[in-house]
Amino acid sequence: MVFALVGLVVLALLGAVHRYVWRRFVGDTTAPGSPLRRAGTVAAFVLPLLSIGAMTSGRVGAPFWLQQVLAWPGFLWLACLLYLTLALLVGEVVRPVLLRVLARRDGATPGAGARTVPELATAGPAGESGTGTGTPADVPDGTRPRTEELVPSHSAGASARSEAAGRTVTEPMTESATEPVTESVAEPATEPERERETEPAAGPLAASATAPAATLAPGPSRRLFVSRVVGGAAAAAGLATVGYGTYGVLRGPSVRRITVPLAKLPRAAHGFRIAVVSDIHIGPILGRAHTRRIVDTINATSPDLVAVVGDLVDGSVADLGSAAEPLSALRARHGSFFVTGNHEYFSGAGQWVDHVRELGLHPLENARVEIEGFDLAGVNDIAGETEGQGPDFGRALGDRDRDRAAVLLAHQPVVIHDAVEHGVDLQLSGHTHGGQLWPGNLLAELANPTVAGLERYGDTQLFVSRGAGAWGPPVRVGAPSDITVVELASRQA
């Protein structure tokens, strides 16, 4: 029941995020019914279905070829969805600022022009001005602008002529009145020619009504322009991030080196080098070539011992056995050792333990071996508790000589407190991937005492590897894959 509710919440959240992404990338930037709108809408339905198929196909026993077909587009889309959404959220801050800037730049000059025409064309009545022409009374007649110069339309010219005609018939023939009359009478002779050259308008009110529309017209265009700019920038940033993160995984892990001093380590073991590799995640995406790159990288460091600390695979031996075969080429003076991770228990842990043994690795199932100068112990992952094969610290460490240094291989960092209780000097773990996809590291910190690197808990030091592969999307952002060479240092040296 709980899992069903969680599943419904996840599906609802996934649907809401896809709706938001569709609206910003498709709905706000394309015309209804356009080919781009149709393609974006189809993608908004198909891509989440591919992601669901990629996550569930292995669990339901789908053929491996189908898992491979679904894995690349399905898992990559999850990474794209994350970073496209983050980029769009940043764009929500930029969007209103950009709209305001464009409105200020484009709105000043056209707005002033639109207001000038109705103001001059519809000035006060004749009784208020003293002239009846719509111009201020205190402006001399000789400098007074003609109405047709202010409003170049048929209706404006007709209005001017009607006023002039009215003054000719009714006003006394005084000196102050004859000048406008002479000026007005001269105009009709050229008016028909002007009518042919200009496009007629409906009237002074129409000219006044169209001016505000001209100032409002840029609004929708600005919104469309800003939506496309913000959407394009968000798409570029999100896809570039995913592309770079994918390249980092496919290129292979880099090598890190750290030195860890152990108080109980004898001088003879000073400088002992352990190549720590975790979370290889051989699966439908990362296959044999991925394994080969990791093996070559490890061998190039010439380690004394190789520690594979869990999550080697994401699938069955039948599907991935051949992809794991390059592990047989690992070379180290004291051999290679393996402990299970939680993903082994999703993939048939017993079969994988037997298979890695065939490849030359030494599984440590709640067991311990004596190495030159220290004890090397390994415990099963806590996911094995569901099968009665969980970690047993008493069996792995209970009867050992506490005067000897102890190095523990345990997939998950959360067992550090058991390691402290049993006197472990150094625990080597993985599991977290360092967060893999930023800001996943923030979530990883909530569930793990250490996400990556070396930290101390009492007398026990804990080192957590970011891992050499990737789970789900073959993408890493802010947490590059690595193989770490841990060099043990004796304080007696």
Side-chain angles (χ1 to χ4, degrees):
M1 183 62 178
V2 175
F3 289 105
L5 290 175
V6 172
L8 288 176
V9 170
V10 171
L11 287 176
L13 180 62
L14 194 64
V17 173
H18 276 86
R19 169 64 181 172
Y20 169 69
V21 170
W22 177 89
R23 183 166 65 90
R24 285 307 192 200
F25 281 123
V26 181
D28 290 351
T29 62
T30 60
S34 66
L36 287 176
R37 173 72 65 93
R38 294 193 188 99
T41 302
V42 170
F45 284 96
V46 172
L47 290 172
L49 292 177
L50 289 173
S51 298
I52 293 173
M55 290 186 290
T56 60
S57 58
R59 302 291 180 89
V60 300
F64 188 65
W65 66 266
L66 180 58
Q67 296 179 42
Q68 291 177 302
V69 168
L70 294 173
W72 268 106
F75 282 126
L76 271 180
W77 171 241
L78 289 178
C80 291
L81 181 65
L82 171 62
Y83 290 105
L84 290 175
T85 303
L86 291 176
L88 284 175
L89 292 176
V90 174
E92 298 298 343
V93 179
V94 177
R95 185 184 304 269
V97 176
L98 190 55
L99 280 170
R100 191 174 297 111
V101 170
L102 293 177
R104 287 178 179 176
R105 187 193 69 179
D106 299 340
T109 303
R115 287 192 298 271
T116 301
V117 173
E119 182 179 346
L120 293 173
T122 60
E128 295 178 356
S129 66
T131 64
T133 62
T135 58
D138 56 350
V139 179
D141 289 341
T143 60
R144 194 176 299 161
R146 291 195 299 271
T147 303
E148 54 270 16
E149 290 178 346
L150 298 174
V151 185
S153 67
H154 170 74
S155 60
S159 177
R161 290 195 304 275
S162 66
E163 290 183 22
R167 285 197 303 273
T168 305
V169 174
T170 63
E171 293 183 7
M173 295 296 293
T174 63
E175 182 177 357
S176 61
T178 55
E179 292 181 6
V181 170
T182 303
E183 181 178 349
S184 300
V185 170
E187 289 297 328
T190 59
E191 190 63 33
E193 183 178 348
R194 185 178 291 109
E195 288 179 4
R196 290 192 298 270
E197 295 174 356
T198 58
E199 185 175 330
L205 292 179
S208 174
T210 56
T215 57
L216 293 177
S221 298
R222 282 196 297 269
R223 286 193 294 273
L224 180 61
F225 172 75
V226 169
S227 294
R228 288 177 174 174
V229 168
V230 173
L239 296 178
T241 300
V242 172
Y244 182 76
T246 303
Y247 168 74
V249 171
L250 299 182
R251 178 186 57 190
S254 59
V255 176
R256 299 178 58 206
R257 298 177 185 271
I258 64 170
T259 299
V260 180
L262 300 180
K264 300 176 184 177
L265 190 71
R267 181 179 300 178
H270 179 75
F272 193 97
R273 288 168 297 135
I274 303 175
V276 181
V277 59
S278 72
D279 302 281
I280 297 175
H281 286 288
I282 304 170
I285 294 178
L286 302 175
R288 188 184 181 95
H290 173 64
T291 310
R292 169 58 62 188
R293 281 192 297 270
I294 291 172
V295 169
D296 291 343
T297 303
I298 292 174
N299 287 344
T301 67
S302 301
D304 297 308
L305 184 147
V306 177
V308 182
V309 288
D311 279 7
L312 172 65
V313 292
D314 284 310
S316 66
V317 172
D319 292 332
L320 299 174
S322 61
E325 287 179 357
L327 293 173
S328 63
L330 285 171
R331 297 289 179 263
R333 187 160 59 96
H334 291 276
S336 302
F337 294 83
F338 168 79
V339 293
T340 57
N342 54 310
H343 281 250
E344 272 71 59
Y345 293 96
F346 305 150
S347 309
Q351 293 181 356
W352 276 111
V353 167
D354 292 339
H355 189 65
V356 298
R357 185 180 286 113
E358 294 172 359
L359 296 176
L361 281 71
H362 306 288
L364 292 175
E365 299 180 275
N366 298 321
R368 181 181 76 252
V369 295
E370 290 187 0
I371 304 294
E372 181 181 309
F374 64 95
D375 293 336
L376 179 69
V379 293
N380 295 343
D381 186 71
I382 56 178
E385 292 175 348
T386 59
E387 302 178 12
Q389 300 176 9
D392 188 339
F393 287 87
R395 179 180 168 188
L397 297 163
D399 58 350
R400 73 177 193 86
D401 182 1
R402 293 262 183 133
D403 290 333
R404 286 172 58 86
V407 176
L408 173 68
L409 309 184
H411 178 63
Q412 298 197 38
V414 293
V415 301
I416 182 61
H417 303 295
D418 294 289
V420 172
E421 182 180 343
H422 287 83
V424 171
D425 296 277
L426 174 63
Q427 175 179 318
L428 303 175
S429 298
H431 182 65
T432 68
H433 296 210
Q436 185 169 330
L437 296 171
W438 184 91
N441 58 303
L442 302 179
L443 297 177
E445 288 175 358
L446 299 177
N448 298 276
T450 298
V451 174
L454 182 68
E455 293 185 354
R456 177 177 289 275
Y457 295 84
D459 293 331
T460 303
Q461 297 180 79
L462 169 64
F463 174 76
V464 180
S465 169
R466 290 192 296 247
W471 179 79
V475 183
R476 282 178 171 266
V477 177
S481 57
D482 63 46
I483 294 167
T484 303
V485 177
V486 177
E487 184 174 330
L488 305 181
S490 172
R491 292 183 178 175
Q492 303 172 17

